[in-house]
Amino acid sequence: MGKGKLFSIDNLSLQDLEDDAEFIPLMTPEDEEEIKREDLPEVLPILPLRNTVLFPGVVIPITAGRDRSIALIKAANNGNKTIGVVAQKDAKIENPKPDDLNRLGVVAKILRVLKMPDGNTTVIIQGKKRFQIDEIISENPYLEAKVSEVEEVRPANSDEEFLAVIDSIKEASLKIIKESPNIPSEASFAIKNIESNSFLINFVASNMNLAVKEKQELLAINDLHERALKTLKFINLELKKLELRMDIQSKVQSDMSQQQREYFLHQQMKTIQEELGGVSSEGEIQEFRERAKSKKWDEEIKKHFEKELAKMQRMNPQVAEFSIQRNYLDLFLDLPWNEFSKDKFDLKRAQKVLDTDHYGLEEVKKRIIEYLAVLKLRNDMKSPILCLYGPPGVGKTSLGRSIAKSLGREYVRISLGGLRDEAEIRGHRKTYIGAMPGRIIQSLKKAGTSNPVFVLDEIDKVSSGHQGDPASALLEVLDPEQNDEFHDNFLEVGFDLSKVMFVATANSLNTIQPALRDRMEIINMTGYTIEEKVQIAKRHLLPKQIKEHGIKKKDIQLNDKQIEFVVEGYTRESGVRGLEKQIAKLVRFVAKSIVMEEEYNIKLTNEDIIKILGPARERGKYESNEVAGVVTGLAWTSVGGDILFIESILSKGKGKLSITGNLGKVMKESATIALEYIKANAEEFNINPDVFSRYNVHIHVPEGATPKDGPSAGITMLTSLVSLFTQRKVKKSIAMTGEITLRGKVLPVGGIKEKILAAKRAKIKEIILCEENRKDVEEIKKEYLKGLKFHYVTDMKEVLDKAILKSKVKNAKKL
């Protein structure tokens, strides 16, 4: 039966209609006979109905919104008030054509026309008799058709079977009205007072919850007996549904706990949401199933997903765990299971991309091209774990992006600096409120493929806290033998990371856990030479700053000499970050001059640069050799290579050794070793052994605010002490680096490239190195070594022969 008040539209109810003198809702047999005697017009205006079917004798309200329908109602209401009503086959069609309408309809009489508050027109109509459309004769301003009457086959009044069906319909209808809370009690009054059998059938059929198609089928049945049986069948079905619903409700009511009550309310809310166009949990589950069809996961993963989906289906949507389970399944479906981007194996193109994005860095580029070549040949190689190690600003992070670009892969990056929670890598268990997967899985979801280039930035800055050790969690991620089944606590199943190309970056290897360092292939990215910095500034830094500051290329010109002047006078670094900041200052000056319409030199000179950046810093320049005991050494710092001066002096005393200059333990030991070696070989160096007991020795390394350590200054300290004790000059424009032993052997040291660059900046002409460091020099491009002479030694005596002159210094002391 119908929902709500019978014949209710907005504020119009049955009572309002009963007050109208022309309206008689319950048809008597006499009224029926009168309708039967009425002649059917040959031509009728046709009113299409979207969502309902009119039956003979039944009164229904219709809201008209279409222009054609309003015009039809207005014309009919001013005329004989008779129209033809037919149902549309598809309610969605806004302007139906004749083929879109059912051919069978009902003649209706307009009882009343009402203007509603919302501007629509509501018309009350009563069905009279059935007709069929023979021919459409007009479509404008509304449909008009030639029609013919469709006769009904009525059973005799004495037909007991028919009367029994009528009684059954009446009884079932009253039962539904009584049981259903949605139907008003006056409906039972209406059913009881219907005297006409045919009207009862039509009245019940009109008010049942049936689709338009099913109601049209009922209307189309010519035999009233057959229509009554079909109506009874539908009403019995509705009664059974109602009884089942009431039965379930009574069972639930008896033992409903608070949680069950909430669940039941939610089910009702879900129905309301569906009516309002919302999405229910059932809709979500169905959506998950549809998305799962396109996933490329194996049988085990599929089984796990189905199990978790079934768990979600059983959950009460009101509990907190429901949203966690939904997020979990959502992540499961978003992850790129066996989704791979296609690698580009054009090695020449890859080389071009790397050369365009980064100047220099030949070793790193060579390793990437090698990897590509092997991957092309095998096509299933496990990705290596590369660790780019070097000072800040040399392009380690940006190189990761270039690698992705050259391979044609997606690029993702996570910064590990200061990370101290293991859950950031492995995720939280999903039983916790607010649980999330680790950053590895989150980044893969973002990448959308299972083989991106994954940059782990600042891997040396990972620290352990009370939440666990992230560095240990990374062991599984970065082990090619384990990471094909990486276990994330939130995901609960293994995810294959073996096709991911991990690129880690680090400034120092000392702070990386040894087990973690062992899993990575270390690639040393040394600092840039002055020539390389000039080229990087020209090709990358200056164009980037010009673009960022909104000026044009023609507005500023920097020649190689000016860029070199900026590099030497205003930066002290291995990388180019500081250089970029200085270039940005120059570009900002030009931008300000353009906006303020001030004159400036487009071609900047050294004087212009000094005016904009301030005085250049003179640093690290070679000092003269006029004083005994002053020797130039080469050192490696966190910002690259540098030169340092070892000074030593004698004072009256008893042979005490003092060392100053903020030196570390290793460097102090080097000074002690140097002094002891000289004492042991004093005669060979023409030094009076009594000197060691009559004088105190003081060694100092300037720039006391800067901590210094390492064995590299060993040969420099020994040369300084020999020069001091013999009062002989040290060779002009010479620098040295190397470790010493008590036997006088010279050992190799690291950071050779940075030290050589520092020597060039300081206008050094000759460099003394250990023989074993020859291979490090050979790896450097020859054009960067112009103007430098190298002496390779194995013994301290060779160092002294090459570094100390026979001539004595001015004002030499007599010892």
Side-chain angles (χ1 to χ4, degrees):
M1 299 293 286
K3 295 179 182 177
K5 290 185 178 180
L6 281 171
F7 315 131
S8 172
I9 291 188
D10 297 332
N11 297 321
L12 183 69
S13 69
L14 179 64
Q15 189 60 48
D16 298 323
L17 299 176
E18 282 180 333
D19 292 341
D20 192 278
E22 289 182 288
F23 177 67
I24 304 170
L26 304 180
M27 187 179 291
T28 62
E30 289 79 15
D31 297 327
E32 198 170 3
E33 283 302 317
E34 189 180 332
I35 288 171
K36 201 173 179 182
R37 287 195 298 271
E38 286 179 9
D39 291 329
L40 182 72
E42 282 185 22
V43 176
L44 278 175
I46 303 298
L47 178 67
L49 299 185
R50 282 180 194 263
N51 298 310
T52 191
V53 176
L54 178 65
F55 284 80
V58 177
V59 176
I60 60 167
I62 295 165
T63 300
R66 295 185 279 210
D67 293 341
R68 289 167 70 180
S69 300
I70 292 168
L72 184 151
I73 289 164
K74 193 174 180 183
N77 196 41
N78 292 333
N80 62 4
K81 299 186 184 291
T82 301
I83 59 174
V85 175
V86 292
Q88 286 182 208
K89 292 175 183 176
D90 185 354
K92 293 177 185 174
I93 297 171
E94 184 63 30
N95 294 305
K97 297 280 187 282
D99 290 342
D100 298 324
L101 305 176
N102 288 297
R103 309 302 286 180
L104 186 79
V106 174
V107 178
K109 184 181 180 185
I110 297 174
L111 301 179
R112 188 170 175 183
V113 177
L114 303 166
K115 283 280 184 184
M116 303 308 286
D118 61 0
N120 286 329
T121 299
T122 295
V123 57
I124 313 299
I125 58 173
Q126 182 177 26
K128 295 289 184 178
K129 57 173 70 175
R130 299 184 309 154
F131 70 86
Q132 71 175 22
I133 297 172
D134 294 331
E135 183 189 350
I136 299 292
I137 59 170
S138 172
E139 291 190 34
N140 283 313
Y142 43 79
L143 288 171
E144 285 187 295
K146 285 184 178 181
V147 298
S148 58
E149 188 176 341
V150 178
E151 294 289 341
E152 279 184 344
V153 178
R154 298 187 177 221
N157 290 334
S158 57
D159 189 335
E160 290 185 6
E161 187 184 337
F162 176 67
L163 294 174
V165 172
I166 295 296
D167 288 341
S168 297
I169 290 172
K170 194 175 281 191
E171 188 182 333
S173 301
L174 292 170
K175 209 168 190 180
I176 289 173
I177 293 165
K178 185 181 176 183
E179 296 290 338
S180 177
N182 298 321
I183 302 175
S185 56
E186 57 259 34
S188 60
F189 172 81
I191 295 287
K192 286 174 186 175
N193 284 279
I194 292 174
E195 296 174 12
S196 166
N197 294 335
S198 61
F199 178 62
L200 177 70
I201 296 164
N202 292 336
F203 183 80
V204 171
S206 178
N207 284 284
M208 278 196 295
N209 284 331
L210 295 178
V212 172
K213 189 179 177 184
E214 290 170 328
K215 286 188 178 182
Q216 184 68 30
E217 286 172 4
L218 279 174
L219 180 67
I221 298 171
N222 294 329
D223 191 328
L224 203 58
H225 189 171
E226 192 182 330
R227 195 190 301 169
L229 284 170
K230 191 93 176 195
T231 304
L232 181 60
K233 178 186 170 186
F234 281 127
I235 205 161
N236 279 334
L237 191 64
E238 193 169 340
L239 182 60
K240 280 182 181 177
K241 283 182 185 176
L242 181 63
E243 285 173 350
L244 186 62
R245 203 156 51 237
M246 298 304 290
D247 187 41
I248 292 168
Q249 194 170 353
S250 64
K251 282 179 183 176
V252 170
Q253 199 81 29
S254 60
D255 59 347
M256 189 185 287
S257 65
Q258 181 64 25
Q259 187 175 347
Q260 287 171 317
R261 180 173 173 274
E262 287 175 3
Y263 180 73
F264 184 71
L265 290 171
H266 179 79
Q267 290 299 100
Q268 290 184 329
M269 192 168 73
K270 181 188 79 175
T271 307
I272 294 165
Q273 282 177 338
E274 284 174 350
E275 289 292 323
L276 294 171
V279 179
S280 68
S281 61
E282 285 299 322
E284 281 181 315
I285 287 163
Q286 191 54 39
E287 184 196 337
F288 285 162
R289 285 193 199 283
E290 288 300 318
R291 286 169 63 190
K293 287 177 184 175
S294 61
K295 303 310 283 185
K296 298 176 184 174
W297 46 38
D298 55 36
E299 200 57 41
E300 187 185 338
I301 302 295
K302 188 178 180 183
K303 209 172 179 182
H304 180 82
F305 174 78
E306 290 292 341
K307 183 182 170 187
E308 293 296 327
L309 189 63
K311 191 190 288 183
M312 177 181 169
Q313 208 163 2
R314 294 193 301 271
M315 275 185 180
N316 179 355
Q318 294 300 307
V319 298
E321 287 81 4
F322 183 83
S323 61
I324 293 173
Q325 189 71 6
R326 180 172 54 202
N327 292 344
Y328 174 71
L329 292 172
D330 209 24
L331 170 78
F332 219 86
L333 290 163
D334 284 340
L335 282 175
W337 301 90
N338 297 316
E339 295 282 347
F340 302 108
S341 58
K342 195 173 181 182
D343 287 324
K344 293 176 182 172
F345 293 123
D346 186 347
L347 302 191
K348 288 180 181 175
R349 178 192 164 277
Q351 185 75 57
K352 192 176 177 184
V353 168
L354 293 170
D355 288 340
T356 305
D357 291 354
H358 291 82
Y359 186 82
L361 306 174
E362 302 304 329
E363 277 302 308
V364 190
K365 293 176 184 174
K366 181 181 164 189
R367 177 66 188 87
I368 293 159
I369 297 299
E370 284 172 358
Y371 165 71
L372 263 177
V374 176
L375 192 64
K376 184 175 182 178
L377 292 172
R378 284 200 55 180
N379 209 28
D380 64 343
M381 179 187 170
K382 285 188 175 180
S383 290
I385 317 292
L386 302 179
C387 180
L388 305 177
Y389 148 67
V394 294
K396 297 185 296 295
T397 306
S398 61
L399 192 64
R401 194 184 297 275
S402 294
I403 291 170
K405 193 173 167 187
S406 64
L407 285 166
R409 292 189 180 188
E410 292 296 319
Y411 167 80
V412 284
R413 171 189 165 272
I414 62 172
S415 178
L416 300 174
L419 202 73
R420 54 177 67 239
D421 187 355
E422 185 192 336
E424 290 282 337
I425 305 296
R426 277 229 179 93
H428 309 84
R429 298 196 181 282
K430 68 183 175 77
T431 48
Y432 299 123
I433 301 294
M436 288 176 68
R439 287 168 71 178
I440 302 291
I441 293 295
Q442 284 184 50
S443 299
L444 285 171
K445 171 187 164 185
K446 183 181 171 186
T449 65
S450 290
N451 64 336
V453 171
F454 204 125
V455 174
L456 299 166
D457 226 353
E458 312 289 1
I459 201 167
D460 56 324
K461 312 287 192 307
V462 173
S463 57
S464 58
H466 63 275
Q467 292 105 336
D469 183 7
S472 299
L474 281 170
L475 293 176
E476 186 186 2
V477 177
L478 299 182
D479 191 339
E481 298 301 318
Q482 295 180 43
N483 65 9
D484 57 343
E485 280 289 320
F486 170 66
H487 181 85
D488 186 283
N489 290 329
F490 186 84
L491 196 61
E492 293 182 342
V493 291
F495 193 91
D496 185 4
L497 301 180
S498 64
K499 301 295 188 292
V500 177
M501 186 175 185
F502 286 102
V503 179
T505 70
N507 298 132
S508 169
L509 295 178
N510 300 332
T511 52
I512 302 175
Q513 197 185 91
L516 190 58
R517 191 167 66 225
D518 186 55
R519 282 163 167 78
M520 299 187 291
E521 184 179 336
I522 308 294
I523 297 176
N524 189 9
M525 289 180 67
T526 53
Y528 295 113
T529 62
I530 292 173
E531 291 85 352
E532 284 176 328
K533 287 182 180 180
V534 169
Q535 292 302 318
I536 290 166
K538 265 176 70 178
R539 298 181 188 197
H540 301 288
L541 306 183
L542 186 58
K544 179 185 172 187
Q545 293 302 322
I546 287 171
K547 186 180 177 183
E548 285 186 1
H549 288 82
I551 66 172
K552 292 174 184 170
K553 198 176 178 182
K554 64 178 183 180
D555 295 331
I556 182 171
Q557 283 184 31
L558 271 176
N559 292 336
D560 289 7
K561 284 188 178 179
Q562 275 66 54
I563 296 173
E564 190 174 330
F565 179 70
V566 174
V567 171
E568 290 191 320
Y570 298 92
T571 66
R572 186 189 177 189
E573 57 179 351
S574 291
V576 290
R577 274 207 192 105
L579 176 59
E580 186 173 11
K581 288 173 188 172
Q582 299 304 326
I583 289 173
K585 282 184 186 176
L586 298 175
V587 174
R588 281 199 297 273
F589 170 81
V590 170
K592 183 205 77 170
S593 301
I594 292 169
V595 173
M596 297 183 73
E597 298 180 353
E598 296 172 350
E599 286 190 12
Y600 71 96
N601 286 333
I602 291 172
K603 202 172 184 179
L604 293 178
T605 63
N606 288 1
E607 290 73 26
D608 294 326
I609 291 168
I610 291 169
K611 185 181 170 186
I612 298 164
L613 302 181
R617 300 178 187 88
E618 286 289 329
R619 59 169 187 81
K621 294 295 180 189
Y622 171 75
E623 293 184 4
S624 69
N625 63 342
E626 295 302 320
V627 181
V630 179
V631 185
T632 306
L634 298 174
W636 184 90
T637 69
S638 61
V639 292
D642 204 354
I643 66 166
L644 52 81
F645 301 102
I646 306 289
E647 303 174 343
S648 53
I649 196 168
L650 292 174
S651 58
K652 294 274 185 182
K654 295 182 180 179
K656 184 184 172 187
L657 174 65
S658 303
I659 305 165
T660 55
N662 199 352
L663 307 183
K665 190 177 176 184
V666 175
M667 212 163 178
K668 286 178 180 177
E669 287 173 354
S670 294
T672 308
I673 292 166
L675 184 59
E676 291 305 317
Y677 176 76
I678 293 168
K679 285 180 182 178
N681 298 277
E683 291 178 11
E684 201 173 331
F685 299 137
N686 293 322
I687 299 170
N688 184 355
D690 295 339
V691 173
F692 303 120
S693 57
R694 289 189 287 113
Y695 289 94
N696 290 336
V697 180
H698 188 107
I699 299 173
H700 177 66
V701 183
E703 294 190 40
T706 308
K708 295 169 277 290
D709 200 8
S712 298
I715 64 170
T716 318
M717 285 179 169
L718 195 140
T719 306
S720 172
L721 290 173
V722 171
S723 169
L724 179 69
F725 286 128
T726 60
Q727 293 292 296
R728 283 157 63 186
K729 282 185 179 181
V730 176
K731 196 174 183 181
K732 200 174 182 183
S733 300
I734 196 165
M736 60 192 73
T737 182
E739 185 180 355
I740 58 169
T741 70
L742 273 174
R743 292 173 293 136
K745 293 290 178 188
V746 179
L747 302 180
V749 290
I752 296 300
K753 184 180 177 184
E754 282 83 357
K755 289 174 180 177
I756 290 171
L757 298 182
K760 278 200 80 174
R761 286 198 296 269
K763 306 290 189 273
I764 299 290
K765 300 284 187 268
E766 296 178 55
I767 296 174
I768 298 175
L769 296 168
C770 174
E771 177 65 41
E772 290 182 39
N773 282 128
R774 187 190 290 268
K775 63 181 185 297
D776 297 312
V777 177
E778 288 171 354
E779 287 176 2
I780 302 169
K781 285 186 178 180
K782 286 184 181 175
E783 57 259 36
Y784 300 148
L785 304 177
K786 279 181 186 174
L788 287 175
K789 185 179 179 183
F790 293 93
H791 302 286
Y792 300 104
V793 297
T794 56
D795 191 88
M796 263 314 301
K797 291 186 178 106
E798 292 178 64
V799 176
L800 297 173
D801 287 343
K802 294 182 189 314
I804 296 182
L805 302 173
K806 290 186 179 177
S807 56
K808 297 215 172 194
V809 296
K810 286 181 184 178
N811 305 319
K813 289 184 181 179
K814 288 185 181 180
L815 303 176

